Amino acid sequence: MSTQANELIDRQQSLQSDLAKLVTAHNSDKPFLEDILRRKNNHFRDDLLLNIKTMSDKEQINAIVIGQIELLRGLLKYSDEDIASLAKQLRAHEYKDNVDLRLKVQRRITKMDTYYQQLFATLNTAEQYSLDIEQYTTDFKSSLSRRAEFLSNAMLYLDTQKRETEARLAYVSDEEKASLTQQIVRYNEQIAVSVISLEVATSIMGKIGIDVTQTKQLLLTITGDINADVLDVNVAFGLFEKWLASLKDWAFDNTPSLIVKVLLFLFILYVTRSISRIVSSTVKKSVKHSKMDFSVLMQDFFVSIASKTVIFIGILFAASQIGIELAPLLTGFGVAGVIIGFALQDTLSNFASGLMILIYRPYDVGDMVKVAGIQGTVKNMSLVSTSVQTIDNQRLVIPNNKIWGDVINNITAETIRRVDMVFGIGYADDIDAAREVFTNILLNDPRVLKTPEITVKLHTLNESSVDFIVRPWVKTEDYWDVYWDVTEQVKKQLDNANISIPFPQRDVHIYKHEAES
């Protein structure tokens, strides 16, 4: 027998002796003795891993490894007895008076995790050296399964207690709330310890071939932690079956009342829509015949606001009938409004500009305008944008802040307009005859208004022409027709009167120089 093997066997026997002392020691000495034993055993295990590969005697290996298995089994048995004793003491005390006992239980559960992990590693080592450990393995599986069951029940119990305590917070005094809050914190701590230990047990059980589907489902249900375990087909399928069963139970219990609530919800929406139409029609008639002379845009705004307000109130009322609490919902709308306000500052700018346009009425539906560099007819307007149809029949939507922040040219705001035209004649032509031609054309056009009077004046002596300004006043809707027709008549009448319409020209003089001899 080698010296290293003898030393390891002696140390193993010393550890067994320390375990016996621990079991029979006074309760006040047990934590100290267990801590010494735990540290000594950890050093022993490190040395065993270093030296066992050099050992050739199977009997020596068997004696050392089996001794280590027995030691760990003894520590686990001691831990089980300790937990049973602590549990008995817990039942004899009020919850608020057993903080120290519960901390001892948590520490004991954590120590047992280490012992189980060490025992699992030792059993694997025994298998590597083909040692006869079948009975030990069977006992280990049974012990591990019992531990998983205990931890699962403990988690469920603690979770139930925590939920009941949380429910009590709604109707107790502020002083009791502080105490209950502390209890909830302690429950969470105990659940966290149980979860960690159950995860350790589950990991070992999965490696030795024990079905851990239900355990993983429980961990996922309690913690809500979706990790790689949920990708397990059995776990996912089991959870789906539970959720489906819960859904069936819920549907069976609530379907009749749910159908009534849904029908009531839809009925309220239908009534709300009908009321909204009536309110829209009433408001439309009211603002249309109002003495305040609202613009069409303002009328549409009032009708839209009234309709949407009725619909919003109806939706809230309908939502309350299916069990939705309105106070949190409205509070959520308020918070969401602040967030959306920061996110949609440009939209709010358009909204503000739309209100200013509605108040000051620089244009109305049907007006020909030139805004943001675009000319066309206003078709409709919302609080954020204005739709303009251009002369070539394009529909453009312009943000209101671009319109309000720029010059607004309302071409058709007035009922009459002046048509400004300039016509030139040659320097050799008779200006009085030309003036008479222009005047007669305007006087003979029935669309030209008598008042204000027409203007026909010699305006400019240009480089190539003598220019007249011709300015009749017409109704706004006749502007372009008069402009085009007068221009055509001016060309014809000047030609008939042999009055020229000059165009830019330049005289080119060519000088010929004789070549010098």
Side-chain angles (χ1 to χ4, degrees):
M1 184 177 294
S2 66
T3 304
Q4 290 178 341
N6 286 333
E7 182 182 348
L8 289 173
I9 291 174
D10 291 340
R11 290 172 64 184
Q12 182 67 71
Q13 291 175 351
S14 175
L15 292 172
Q16 291 288 0
S17 177
D18 290 342
L19 176 60
K21 292 179 182 178
L22 171 63
V23 172
T24 58
H26 190 271
N27 288 338
S28 60
D29 297 329
K30 286 183 177 181
F32 177 69
L33 294 176
E34 184 181 7
D35 184 67
I36 295 174
L37 176 58
R38 179 184 57 80
R39 287 186 282 107
K40 289 172 64 176
N41 190 53
N42 288 340
H43 290 306
F44 173 80
R45 292 178 61 82
D46 292 338
D47 293 340
L48 176 62
L49 290 175
L50 290 174
N51 297 310
I52 194 171
K53 296 179 181 180
T54 62
M55 298 170 59
S56 57
D57 190 336
K58 187 174 182 179
E59 291 184 1
Q60 294 177 344
I61 297 174
N62 183 77
I64 297 172
V65 173
I66 297 300
Q68 180 63 199
I69 293 174
E70 290 287 357
L71 176 68
L72 293 170
R73 278 162 55 91
L75 286 171
L76 287 172
K77 181 180 178 181
Y78 168 76
S79 298
D80 286 333
E81 293 173 351
D82 188 33
I83 285 182
S85 175
L86 291 171
K88 184 177 180 180
Q89 296 177 55
L90 282 171
R91 290 191 293 270
H93 291 75
E94 292 291 334
Y95 183 87
K96 59 182 180 180
D97 298 329
N98 58 21
V99 176
D100 291 338
L101 291 175
R102 283 184 277 106
L103 290 175
K104 289 180 180 180
V105 171
Q106 293 177 21
R107 286 195 291 267
R108 175 54 59 192
I109 291 174
T110 303
K111 290 178 181 178
M112 291 182 71
D113 292 338
T114 302
Y115 297 152
Y116 272 104
Q117 289 173 323
Q118 290 179 344
L119 181 55
F120 173 65
T122 305
L123 292 173
N124 284 339
T125 302
E127 287 184 355
Q128 293 176 7
Y129 290 92
S130 303
L131 303 182
D132 184 13
I133 57 167
E134 182 177 354
Q135 186 60 47
Y136 290 123
T137 302
T138 302
D139 293 343
F140 178 69
K141 290 181 179 180
S142 299
S143 175
L144 198 59
S145 298
R146 289 193 302 271
R147 176 172 174 77
E149 182 180 2
F150 166 76
L151 292 171
S152 299
N153 291 329
M155 284 173 56
L156 291 171
Y157 173 76
L158 292 170
D159 186 63
T160 301
Q161 294 295 104
K162 185 188 77 169
R163 294 178 186 274
E164 291 177 354
T165 306
E166 289 174 339
R168 291 175 56 193
L169 288 173
Y171 52 83
V172 298
S173 64
D174 292 339
E175 293 181 0
E176 290 180 292
K177 280 184 179 179
S179 176
L180 293 178
T181 302
Q182 289 295 323
Q183 289 186 27
I184 293 171
V185 171
R186 296 190 186 104
Y187 282 134
N188 285 329
E189 292 174 353
Q190 291 175 298
I191 291 172
V193 172
S194 299
V195 165
I196 294 172
S197 296
L198 187 56
E199 287 176 342
V200 171
T202 302
S203 175
I204 298 174
M205 290 165 66
K207 294 176 181 177
I208 60 179
I210 300 176
D211 184 16
V212 293
T213 302
Q214 292 184 348
T215 308
K216 288 184 177 181
Q217 291 174 2
L218 176 62
L219 285 171
L220 182 58
T221 302
I222 295 295
T223 63
D225 183 17
I226 300 178
N227 49 35
D229 290 339
V230 80
L231 300 179
D232 189 314
V233 176
N234 294 328
V235 175
F237 184 72
L239 289 172
F240 178 75
E241 284 185 331
K242 286 186 177 181
W243 291 335
L244 185 61
S246 300
L247 179 61
K248 288 180 179 179
D249 294 339
W250 178 87
F252 181 79
D253 294 335
N254 297 279
T255 296
S257 61
L258 182 62
I259 292 175
V260 173
K261 289 181 179 179
V262 170
L263 291 176
L264 180 60
F265 178 81
L266 295 176
F267 175 74
I268 293 174
L269 291 184
Y270 174 77
V271 173
T272 300
R273 185 178 179 186
S274 301
I275 295 175
S276 172
R277 291 176 178 174
I278 296 173
V279 171
S280 297
S281 178
T282 303
V283 173
K284 185 174 183 180
K285 291 179 181 179
S286 177
V287 296
K288 188 174 183 180
H289 297 90
S290 174
K291 295 181 180 180
M292 297 183 67
D293 189 25
F294 292 115
S295 66
V296 175
L297 290 176
M298 185 65 80
Q299 294 176 26
D300 293 342
F301 172 73
F302 284 137
V303 172
S304 176
I305 288 296
S307 174
K308 291 177 180 177
T309 300
V310 171
I311 291 175
F312 178 72
I313 294 174
I315 291 175
L316 290 180
F317 183 70
S320 67
Q321 301 306 306
I322 59 175
I324 297 177
E325 294 290 338
L326 296 185
L329 183 63
L330 294 175
T331 303
F333 282 154
V335 175
V338 174
I339 297 173
I340 293 173
F342 283 107
L344 302 177
Q345 295 183 28
D346 291 340
T347 301
L348 293 178
S349 175
N350 289 327
F351 182 86
S353 298
L355 286 178
M356 298 300 291
I357 292 172
L358 287 174
I359 294 171
Y360 289 98
R361 300 171 55 182
Y363 56 79
D364 203 350
V365 173
D367 287 349
M368 174 73 74
V369 297
K370 187 173 183 180
V371 292
I374 298 169
Q375 182 172 330
T377 303
V378 178
K379 287 301 178 182
N380 57 66
M381 173 189 167
S382 67
L383 286 176
V384 295
S385 64
T386 298
S387 295
V388 174
Q389 188 169 4
T390 62
I391 298 174
D392 59 348
N393 205 34
Q394 297 182 59
R395 182 67 63 89
L396 303 178
V397 179
I398 309 172
N400 285 336
N401 64 344
K402 291 187 177 296
I403 295 175
W404 187 250
D406 201 352
V407 176
I408 300 175
N409 182 6
N410 191 333
I411 299 171
T412 58
E414 303 297 334
T415 56
I416 63 173
R417 291 185 62 189
R418 189 181 72 183
V419 184
D420 290 353
M421 295 175 286
V422 178
F423 300 108
I425 64 174
Y427 273 92
D429 295 316
D430 187 348
I431 60 174
D432 293 327
R435 181 185 293 108
E436 183 178 357
V437 168
F438 298 144
T439 303
N440 289 336
I441 290 174
L442 298 182
L443 293 177
N444 292 329
D445 194 323
R447 296 166 298 184
V448 175
L449 301 177
K450 303 303 180 182
T451 54
E453 295 182 355
I454 62 174
T455 301
V456 178
K457 297 292 183 179
L458 179 62
H459 181 57
T460 305
L461 300 177
N462 269 334
E463 294 181 359
S464 302
S465 64
V466 177
D467 294 340
F468 281 84
I469 57 170
V470 179
R471 295 175 177 175
W473 288 84
V474 299
K475 293 181 179 180
T476 300
E477 60 267 23
D478 294 332
Y479 180 90
W480 287 108
D481 290 336
V482 170
Y483 182 92
W484 292 325
D485 291 345
V486 169
T487 301
E488 181 180 350
Q489 287 299 318
V490 165
K491 175 64 170 81
K492 291 179 178 179
Q493 295 295 333
L494 290 180
D495 288 346
N496 291 336
N498 293 320
I499 298 175
S500 63
I501 300 176
F503 49 86
Q505 53 186 313
R506 179 175 296 172
D507 293 334
V508 179
H509 301 274
I510 301 176
Y511 297 95
K512 184 177 181 182
H513 296 277
E514 294 182 359
E516 296 180 359
S517 57

